[in-house]
């Protein structure tokens, strides 16, 4: 009998760019459907991460200062229990600061 149980995996990232990369890993490497992946601020504050990234740093005058850099970004998804170790490695490769599952 196959183990078809699922677990919720959560990872926090310093930048929105790293969180987006993690989503791509989940979709392309692990076959997780994009609507089953959630991205949100890790706190109750609106945030684009805790450090400038992507378009926020690509200006002639340096990094933009108007982005809401108020905290970390959380990526979460329900995955098959058999995928936990592989997904944790992918999230770590994408730059996760912390990874948890339950």
């Amino acid at each position: 009998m196959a183990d078809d149980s699922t677990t919720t995996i959560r990872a926090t990232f310093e930048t929105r760019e790293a969180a987006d990369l993690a989503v791509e890993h989940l979709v392309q490497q692990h076959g997780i459907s994009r609507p089953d992946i959630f991205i949100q601020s890790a706190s109750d504050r609106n945030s684009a991460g805790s450090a400038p990234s992507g378009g926020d740093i690509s200006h002639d005058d340096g990094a933009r200062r108007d982005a809401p850099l108020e905290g970390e970004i959380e990526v979460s998804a329900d995955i098959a229990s058999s995928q936990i170790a592989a997904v944790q490695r992918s999230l770590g490769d994408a730059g996760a600061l912390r990874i948890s599952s339950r």
Side-chain angles (χ1 to χ4, degrees), residues 14-20 48-59 63-64 67 69 73:
E14 184 177 38
T15 65
R16 177 62 190 231
E17 182 180 34
D20 288 342
S50 56
S53 67
D56 292 335
I57 61 173
S58 63
H59 294 277
R64 290 179 55 181
L69 300 177
I73 304 294

Side-chain angles (χ1 to χ4, degrees), residues 21-79:
L21 179 61
V23 170
E24 292 308 312
H25 283 256
L26 294 174
V27 171
Q28 294 176 15
Q29 295 175 356
H30 303 287
I32 299 170
S33 179
R34 206 172 288 274
D36 294 332
I37 302 170
F38 302 93
I39 302 173
Q40 63 186 19
S41 174
S43 69
D44 60 353
R45 307 218 39 196
N46 183 29
S47 180
S50 56
S53 67
D56 292 335
I57 61 173
S58 63
H59 294 277
D60 293 335
D61 297 329
R64 290 179 55 181
R65 301 286 179 225
D66 60 341
L69 300 177
E70 303 291 337
E72 298 166 348
I73 304 294
E74 179 184 87
V75 173
S76 63
D78 290 337
I79 62 169

